[in-house]
Amino acid sequence: MQLTQIQALAQSISANVNKVIVGKEDVIEKLLIAIIASGHILLEDVPGTGKTLLAKAMAKSLNCTFKRIQFTPDLLPSDLSGINYFNQKHAEFEFRPGPLFTNVLLADEINRATPRTQSSLLECMEERQVSIDGETRKLEAPFLVIATQNPVENQGTFPLPEAQLDRFLFKVKMGYPTTEEGVNILKRFKDGNPLEDIASVAETEAIIAAQQHYSKVTISDELLSYLLSIVERTRTHADVATGVSPRGSQALLKAAQVHAILKGRDFVIPDDLKRMAKPVLAHRIIVKGSYRSRYEAAEAIIDSILQEVAVPTEPELVNE
């Protein structure tokens, strides 16, 4: 698949989602980047801001299998992965797959499940496989987790551990709509739900092909050093207890490559890295101080690092 075809595929999906979602182009773009880069995305904000609707619209735009799980405190790991049960008719054990065996998984209100259940997602998100009763079962490609989360201040929630957050390519806040967007939302939904009228615009094979070819986007050695300088600065910053891991630096590279494609380029420029830095890196940083303001503080730290780290000069950006 050519990079121009990946761009066209992303534009087609975005236009389809915009038939349902008003505004939020930036969030939709990050969701598309996560899909093409084989990543996962965590949507966070207060109830009613359109997190679940966006996830459903994106899933319906892809001709893939889709399953939704409503996370609750009584949800068990086996409710996600499936179980081996004894079939009395055949006098043998059979495997009944859980909702993890899908292409697009909507993990709704993921922080309402207990840490034990949350941790059951770690293996499938990183390695695309599930281990059950000593047997490892592969998940079919593509596999995308779109998780939604209410702010941790809400009652009855369990904050995601750092190891789990590190599995998400992006953490994105939906935000409230503007007044104009709010009026358009009321107009669009007053006669029904437009989600019911949209059809898929992307085949499974096209998504897999895009995931296999986006890495053709080139990046200079100077920009790789620039990327690592940003990541390494998070490890030495005075206000950071734990900085970004090598997985985080790889995630930033992948996101920047796909962002370049969406902007019509086959090479990465500094703006791609700057644009992706906060949504990729902020949730991977453990900031010293109170948990309540940690994510906002992490975003501010990333902003300050981007101001401090020198950007490569123009002639060095693309290798000959």
Side-chain angles (χ1 to χ4, degrees), residues 1-7 9 35-38 204-218 254 257-258 260-261 265-267:
M1 174 178 275
Q2 300 297 317
L3 298 183
T4 54
Q5 292 175 299
I6 298 177
Q7 182 188 23
L9 177 68
I35 292 171
I36 297 172
S38 300
T204 303
E205 294 76 12
I207 298 297
I208 295 174
Q211 292 176 341
Q212 293 173 340
H213 291 87
Y214 78 88
S215 58
K216 290 180 179 178
V217 173
T218 59
K254 293 177 181 179
Q257 286 179 302
V258 180
I261 294 175
R265 286 179 276 101
D266 62 357
F267 58 92

Side-chain angles (χ1 to χ4, degrees), residues 213-273:
H213 291 87
Y214 78 88
S215 58
K216 290 180 179 178
V217 173
T218 59
I219 180 170
S220 67
D221 291 344
E222 288 77 16
L223 274 186
L224 288 176
S225 297
Y226 175 61
L227 185 159
L228 287 175
S229 295
I230 295 172
V231 170
E232 289 171 354
R233 184 71 182 89
T234 67
R235 302 168 187 169
T236 59
H237 197 282
D239 296 326
V240 175
T242 303
V244 176
S245 67
R247 182 189 287 129
S249 59
Q250 294 175 42
L252 181 54
L253 172 59
K254 293 177 181 179
Q257 286 179 302
V258 180
H259 184 264
I261 294 175
L262 299 190
K263 299 306 178 184
R265 286 179 276 101
D266 62 357
F267 58 92
V268 175
I269 63 175
D271 282 348
D272 296 319
L273 294 170

Side-chain angles (χ1 to χ4, degrees), residues 24 26-31 34 40-45 49 51 54 147-149 168-175 278-280 283 295 299:
K24 309 304 178 191
D26 183 63
V27 180
I28 294 172
E29 179 185 76
K30 290 183 177 64
L31 193 46
H40 310 287
I41 189 166
L42 177 61
L43 303 175
E44 181 184 74
D45 221 314
T49 50
K51 301 185 298 295
L54 172 60
T148 69
Q149 174 176 270
F168 287 101
L169 179 65
F170 292 128
K171 180 180 178 182
V172 180
K173 287 184 176 291
M174 292 290 292
K278 279 201 295 187
V280 172
H283 65 283
Y295 185 69
E299 289 186 312

